Amino acid sequence: MRNSVAFVICVAVTAGALALAGWVDGWPLLPALALFAFAVQWLVYLPSFLAQTEHYYDLAGALTYASVVVLAVLLAAPDGRGLVMAALVLAWCTRLGSFLFRRVKQSGKDGRFDDIKPHWGRFLMAWTFQGLWVFMTLLAALLAITA
């Protein structure tokens, strides 16, 4: 039952992010970038759930940040301001992602995931919320990059 509820929450979160992106941008590029952020998270979730590991969670978040920004730059051809914004976001996500990945590798695990890893829906929800976190915290930069 909990897995079903978690799955419904994942679908609702995704739909909400897409609706927000469509409302902000009128549907062209931002919703595609939001969906891409979720897709990257879900793709990394699959082998992580099968292996019952959270070792790549933070690294996947940083790589999602970077890939969404790079995709936005490639699709929008931003001006100088957008390129500076993209470079700053890439520097930040590289620093934070490498720090968090090293921390988990050194400690051997991330205790936040001990109770949810065995439950596919709850574990999926963590990855879905990370996709939402990436999109929502990146939204202002994406608006500048795609303007």
Side-chain angles (χ1 to χ4, degrees):
M1 181 67 170
R2 286 185 184 179
N3 284 330
S4 299
V5 171
F7 182 73
V8 169
I9 291 171
C10 290
V11 170
V13 164
T14 304
L18 291 174
L20 174 67
W23 177 72
V24 168
D25 196 37
W27 285 107
L29 186 55
L30 283 181
L33 294 171
L35 194 55
F36 180 76
F38 286 112
V40 171
Q41 291 300 300
W42 296 331
L43 285 173
V44 181
Y45 156 79
L46 290 171
S48 297
F49 177 71
L50 293 174
Q52 287 293 288
T53 182
E54 74 284 358
H55 283 207
Y56 302 104
Y57 183 79
D58 293 317
L59 182 62
L63 291 176
T64 302
Y65 250 96
S67 60
V68 169
V69 167
V70 168
L71 186 61
V73 166
L74 292 174
L75 294 175
D79 59 7
R81 176 190 62 161
L83 290 174
V84 168
M85 183 72 70
L88 291 171
V89 170
L90 289 172
W92 173 82
C93 75
T94 300
R95 190 212 60 81
L96 181 62
S98 62
F99 166 76
L100 293 172
F101 182 66
R102 271 185 283 136
R103 186 182 69 178
V104 168
K105 283 299 189 185
Q106 287 173 352
S107 69
K109 71 175 197 151
D110 187 337
R112 299 175 296 171
F113 294 94
D114 289 345
D115 292 335
I116 66 172
K117 273 189 300 190
H119 307 282
W120 71 267
R122 292 170 67 194
F123 200 39
L124 175 64
M125 190 164 49
W127 291 85
T128 300
F129 277 116
Q130 181 163 261
L132 178 67
W133 173 77
V134 165
F135 178 70
M136 294 300 293
T137 57
L138 197 51
L139 188 55
L142 288 175
L143 288 170
I145 292 167
T146 62

